[in-house]
Amino acid sequence: MGYAQEYATAIVRRGRYPMEPADWVPDWADRPRKGKYFPDAPLFPLPSGPTPTAGATGATVERGLHGPRGTGAFTLPLLAGMLQDSYGLTGRRLAVQANSDLGTLPMYTQANWSRGSASGGGLYPVGVHWIAGPGGPLTPGVHYYDTQQHAVRRLLTGDVTPQVRAAVGEPAAGHRQFLVLGVRFWQNAFKYNSFSYHVVTMDTGALLETWRIWARAHGLHIGPALWFDEPALGGLLGLDADEEGVFAVVPLRWAGDPDPLPQGTEAGPDTTAPGGSPAGAVDGPPSGPVRVAHADRERSRSVTAFETVKAMHDATLAGAASRPAPGALDPALALPVEPGGERTALPAPDALDLGVRTALRSRRSSFGRFQAVTPMPARHLSTVLAAAHAAGRLDSDTEPAGDRPLTRLYVFVNHVAGIDQGSYVYDAADGSLRLLRAGAPGEFLQRNYFLANYNLEQAAAVMVPAARTRSVLDAVGDRGYRLVNAVVGGVSQAVYTAAAAAGLSCGVALGFDAISYTEELGLDATGEIPLLTMMIGHERPRPADFRSEIA
């Protein structure tokens, strides 16, 4: 049994048996930044992205949320818009709510800057590098996305895309532009210690799903690679493998790129890149391995390394460059819902035709403001469940073709018009709920939630994505932990976005007793692990909110 199996067991048990160090207390005065800091790297502002205008000649027309896979190509305005709408700072928010940080948010140093993607604890530890090759709008090189400035900082000049293609293999063949997602563990571990690896893998998936939603709304496609030569890419980006990891590589189809080259071949000699720099020139020493020339400046005076995080990261590095064979994951995909049983048919889901930028800017966590005076219409539950089911796969390099997801959705119904209270499993095949246990679930939900920022009984419905994590690890090895958690993080982002588009409130939480949920839903028989609680419903009217839009 690999170390990831032990870690998964500890995650399930942590509601009753805290993970070590159980006495950890975050030092908020010495917290790290939400992003990296390269003050000496050249800064290049990015445009704000396209402004959709339906029917206008040459304008970008959005196709609504969760649309079909697109075939278009990225341009600079499209990529800049996707980065800003997903991870860029878009506004400042203040609200009277039940989260534990309410008392500090009015202070500017603790301001809550909103973003399109969700993040565990609002910590945003994922760093985005744009590795640009010839033919794009930037001088070839490695660029870091500065979320505060909505700009890129050039960390290296020179075409290193051959190294990226060699490290990634077939999914990168013929591509010249890449987004590379890295995580510095301390940016999350300072708060969540050993639990942080579980959180950051979901954060990666939430960002990837945001890009997937955004790309499809603009007729594009995002297909991340999760298996690649991580030490090679980490070395290129100047990362310390004990402190940081590379979690995904996203090849971009770029406007004007030539047809893909056969795998293992490259174009002829480098030419002069846009901006006048020789495309093969790199900063730093002329010989030896190429790596970025700028180092991140850590804000924290004291940085702690957690042995559990290191052990888990080492486990997921093993075999990173050996992509599982086609079909390897098939035995671990979500099981179909058992036939028969007492069923409740759901209405057809609504079309989510709200613009993706508007939906992402509307996304936020409710934090205890749910109220159940008016039951939620059943069509809203159907709409959000359909979006969550569609997010049960990330179109990654390891998932098989087809629509069968990695996750199955369970639903606790509290206050939904026309649906009896109880616990159900969602059957996407016919859009129905199969009853598991009748009766009001509110007391169970609240008793097994160990934070004070939500009243789960007041939510109209609580959805729980479950995955056969142990089967995934048996099928593809310890690195499969990143895949299954990324998919679950993507499901949470899809729920947030769909809820915002449907005019609902939403909240996602990890603070629940997974053992009790396993027993309540009968998951021992299926080998599934409950991984999140996702609440939707209505909020109290006339909330005391402040919003300042900055993008």
Side-chain angles (χ1 to χ4, degrees), residues 182-201:
V183 173
R184 180 166 172 78
F185 304 131
W186 177 242
Q187 287 178 222
N188 187 281
F190 87 94
K191 178 178 180 181
Y192 290 121
N193 56 78
S194 298
F195 182 54
S196 64
Y197 206 87
H198 187 69
V199 180
V200 299
T201 46

Side-chain angles (χ1 to χ4, degrees), residues 17 30 81 279 286 295 302 319 351 388 409 413 461 473 492:
Y17 310 99
D30 195 36
S302 176
L409 295 165
V413 173
L473 300 177
S492 73

Side-chain angles (χ1 to χ4, degrees), residues 44-50 75-82 84 145 150-151 357:
F44 301 93
L46 294 174
S48 294
T75 61
L76 178 60
L78 286 168
L79 178 57
M82 188 177 79
Q84 184 175 50
Y145 178 54
H150 184 51
R357 173 167 287 186

Side-chain angles (χ1 to χ4, degrees), residues 395-411:
D395 300 329
S396 69
D397 57 336
T398 308
E399 297 165 273
D403 297 326
R404 192 175 165 194
L406 267 170
T407 57
R408 189 155 71 165
L409 295 165
Y410 294 86
V411 188

Side-chain angles (χ1 to χ4, degrees), residues 258-272:
D259 292 335
L261 298 166
Q263 186 179 2
T265 65
E266 294 292 346
D270 292 322
T271 59
T272 300

Side-chain angles (χ1 to χ4, degrees), residues 489-507:
V491 169
S492 73
Q493 180 64 24
V495 167
Y496 264 125
T497 310
L504 300 171
S505 298
C506 183

Side-chain angles (χ1 to χ4, degrees), residues 336-337 343 346 385-386 388-390 403 405 407-409 425-433:
V337 176
R343 301 273 182 147
L346 292 171
L385 282 171
H389 175 78
D403 297 326
T407 57
R408 189 155 71 165
L409 295 165
V425 60
Y426 174 61
D427 191 346
D430 63 1
S432 70
L433 296 177

